[in-house]
Amino acid sequence: MSGPQARVRVREMVLGDCDRVSLIRVRGWQSAYRSLMPQQHLDAMDPAADAERRRALFARAPQGVLNLVAEDEGGEVVGWACHGPYRDGEMRTPDAELYALYVDPGRLGAGVGRALVGESVRRCASAGHARMLLWVLKGNTRARRFYERAGFGPDGAEEPFEVDGVPVPEVRYARPLGD
């Protein structure tokens, strides 16, 4: 599904982007997690319901949480990333966390994800965070390779995660942000 390298513009998300972001997020789950999660769970995902949740989350985003979108040359939103303080249970740490990164499945390989991660890393480094962490499904080899090319690597931490009773464990990746 790789396409030509696209020129994208990364900007801060606005409330009006929620419908498109939710569509990208749902399609991203349905594409990336096929065979990693129960198909009935993926099939039941609803972009409209996700957009309602996304609007509520966006309206009450805690301080330090930033949503970014990538637009193609025509101004269409083709990717979304969200980052903020790392959460260790209810505690926030001095580290940053990439909470989410989704690219329209038809735009994979076109540099959209790279642009979003690059901007998130830049903003977190300039905010003074020493490192950025993220969680990725252990079985999602495509995403793991992407993050490794972006300078992240597994740090040994793993978390159990379950979807409809099916275990889909996550591994934590880290990237130093300092010089």
Side-chain angles (χ1 to χ4, degrees), residues 2-3 12 14 25 33 38 43 45-46 53 57-59 69 72-73 76-77 106 115 118-119 125 132 138 142 146 162:
S2 179
E12 291 186 19
V14 297
R25 182 179 172 278
Y33 302 149
D43 291 344
M45 293 181 78
D46 177 25
R53 282 191 301 279
L57 289 168
F58 186 79
V69 293
D72 66 11
E73 292 159 334
E76 182 180 23
V77 172
E119 184 64 13
M132 182 177 243
K138 192 173 190 174
R142 182 181 185 136
F146 170 81
E162 209 173 90

Side-chain angles (χ1 to χ4, degrees), residues 86 133-136 153-160 170-173:
Y86 182 71
L133 304 166
L134 62 88
W135 290 94
V136 60
D155 70 357
E158 293 193 23
E159 281 286 320
E170 295 179 304
V171 293
R172 189 172 68 189
Y173 273 48

